[in-house]
């Protein structure tokens, strides 16, 4: 059976139409998957930061229960506690330390 016409032009026209329709669709799908992967990676980083902060907070709370103080808070000093700093008995100025260097480099 003979087919009339040139199949080469028709085939290239079908391929061009296929690429014109499915090219942008596949591009949008790839772009969407890329954006979702970036958003997922950012969410994982955010959750890791939250988990590490929570672990540090739980560790501090456990240490406070056992009576350890890491010095992060000043709750141990209350309003009714007064801190007195005594001045030295002698009124002589403190000794000075010379910071000049008189030696030479060889």
């Amino acid at each position: 059976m003979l087919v009339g016409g040139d199949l080469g032009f028709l085939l290239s026209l079908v391929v061009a139409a296929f690429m014109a329709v499915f090219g942008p669709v596949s591009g949008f799908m790839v772009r969407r998957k890329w954006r979702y992967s970036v958003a997922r990676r950012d969410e994982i980083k955010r959750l890791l930061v939250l988990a590490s902060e929570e672990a540090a907070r739980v560790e501090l709370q456990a240490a406070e229960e056992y009576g350890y103080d890491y010095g992060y808070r000043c709750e141990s000093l209350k309003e009714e506690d007064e801190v007195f700093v005594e001045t030295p008995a002698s009124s002589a100025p403190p000794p000075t330390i010379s910071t000049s260097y008189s030696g030479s480099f060889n």
Side-chain angles (χ1 to χ4, degrees), residues 33-78:
K33 286 185 178 277
W34 184 273
R35 287 175 56 194
Y36 280 149
S37 69
V38 169
R40 194 173 336 141
R41 185 181 63 219
D42 292 342
E43 180 70 12
I44 289 171
K45 286 181 182 179
R46 186 182 71 83
L47 291 174
L48 283 173
V49 167
L50 288 175
S52 66
E53 288 174 353
E54 183 180 2
R57 186 172 37 253
V58 166
E59 184 178 342
L60 283 174
Q61 288 174 352
E64 286 177 357
E65 287 178 8
Y66 285 109
Y68 295 117
D69 185 20
Y70 288 118
Y72 293 121
R73 300 180 189 169
C74 295
E75 293 176 4
S76 61
L77 185 61
K78 298 179 181 174

Side-chain angles (χ1 to χ4, degrees), residues 90-102:
S90 69
S91 62
T96 58
I97 299 173
S98 174
T99 58
S100 63
Y101 179 70
S102 61

Side-chain angles (χ1 to χ4, degrees), residues 84-95:
F84 292 105
V85 178
E86 294 183 19
T87 58
S90 69
S91 62

